[in-house]
Every structure is written in C-alpha cells, then in structure tokens.
Amino acid sequence: MNMQQLALEEAALKTLADTVMDRLKAVKAEMQTALTEGGVGKVDATLPDGRKVAVISRTDSKPAAVITDPEAFLAWVRTAAPSEVTTRLVTEVRPAYTTALLAEMTAAGVAEVSDKETGVVDTVPGVEIRATRSTTHSVRPTKDGRDLIAEAWRTGALGHLNLPQLTATPQEA
C-alpha cells in the first residue's frame, strides 16, 4: 500500500471511529438513565430474530468513607488516638490507621467510630461517606455475540436501529 492510500484509510477510519464514539456516548447515557430509572439490574441484547448477543448489567456506586477535611481529621485523631499521629516536618496520621478507620466507617456506613474499650461513639470530623465511583453499566457479549452482530450488520438486520451514518458537514457559502 502506498503512503497516500494509507493516509486516506487512516483518515476514513478516524472519521468513522469518531462518529461511532459520539453515538456510543449518547446511547450509553440513555441506557444508563433507562437502567437507573427503570430499577433494572440487567437486560439482554437480542437480535430481531431473538438470538441473544450480549448482556447489559448495571453497576451501582459503592459508598465509602473518604477524608474531606484533612485538618479536621488530623485534629480528631490527635485527641482520640494520639499514638497514631506522627510528627516530622509534616504532621500526619499514620496511613495504616487512616486505612483501618476508613474501612471501619465504610463498613458501618457512617463517619463514626466506637472506642473498643468504652463503647463511646465519636463522629469523625473531616470524613464523609460518599460514592467513590459513579453508577455505570457494562456490556458483555455472548460467546458468539460479536460474530452475530457482524452478520446482522452485513445483512441489514440492524437497519431499524439509529446507528450513525457518515454525512457531509454542510459547507457555509
């Protein structure tokens, strides 16, 4: 293949990929909304003839304890567990203690810890329970799903879908 042909092929594939990616983003957002609003955990993707080609599964966000105000967190640990604070040029809570506290609060679902000896429950300032990842979904093709979709594309069986078409951008006069 000569360089001119390679350049054209790359430009064409880039244009196709960009067009498909733009439509994929829009459809993915619509699918996420439909899954969330419908309270649906998963849905099968089937061809018009009923053959299953993929499973779409919702992944919900998982709340976890995160430090939102490091100074307030440090001040609390200085009072509640001073042995867990180290002072160097910078004063900070020992990372292992931070990890353990955040895990405990994540498991409890609240930014509180209880003293193991006294049972006193403290609200931990500077920590909140927040979603650490956004709700999303995944697409898992069946074993032969990709081949079935490719065949359906070639035969026109996907013509009813709003798949992107390359159209020329209107030229301004």
Side-chain angles (χ1 to χ4, degrees):
M1 225 185 259
N2 69 35
M3 193 178 307
Q4 289 296 316
Q5 190 173 350
L6 282 172
L8 177 57
E9 186 172 349
E10 183 173 352
L13 289 170
K14 172 79 169 109
T15 300
L16 285 166
D18 290 349
T19 302
V20 169
M21 191 53 72
D22 289 346
R23 181 65 185 142
L24 177 60
K25 287 177 186 174
V27 170
K28 190 169 185 162
E30 289 177 40
M31 185 68 189
Q32 187 61 49
T33 299
L35 288 168
T36 302
E37 289 179 357
V40 175
K42 72 178 186 174
V43 63
D44 291 340
T46 57
L47 293 173
D49 65 8
R51 291 182 292 173
K52 180 172 151 180
V53 294
V55 176
I56 313 295
S57 301
R58 187 178 76 200
T59 305
D60 292 325
S61 62
K62 302 242 190 260
V66 293
I67 297 172
T68 57
D69 184 342
E71 290 84 23
F73 178 70
L74 174 60
W76 177 83
V77 174
R78 275 186 169 152
T79 302
S83 64
E84 299 299 330
V85 175
T86 58
T87 302
R88 298 183 201 115
L89 292 176
V90 176
T91 302
E92 64 184 8
V93 178
R94 289 186 327 112
Y97 185 69
T98 298
T99 299
L101 273 181
L102 293 176
E104 182 180 335
M105 290 182 274
T106 296
V110 292
E112 298 176 344
V113 294
S114 62
D115 185 299
K116 306 297 184 254
E117 295 173 15
T118 65
V120 173
V121 176
D122 276 332
T123 298
V124 182
V127 176
E128 294 178 12
I129 304 297
R130 290 186 174 172
T132 56
R133 67 177 184 198
S134 58
T135 301
T136 187
H137 63 274
S138 64
V139 178
R140 291 183 317 281
T142 59
K143 182 179 176 186
D144 58 349
R146 292 179 193 275
D147 291 338
L148 292 172
I149 289 171
E151 175 191 337
W153 178 276
R154 283 191 302 275
T155 63
L158 302 178
H160 64 291
L161 300 178
N162 184 17
L163 298 176
Q165 299 296 318
L166 291 180
T167 56
T169 305
Q171 300 295 319
E172 293 188 23

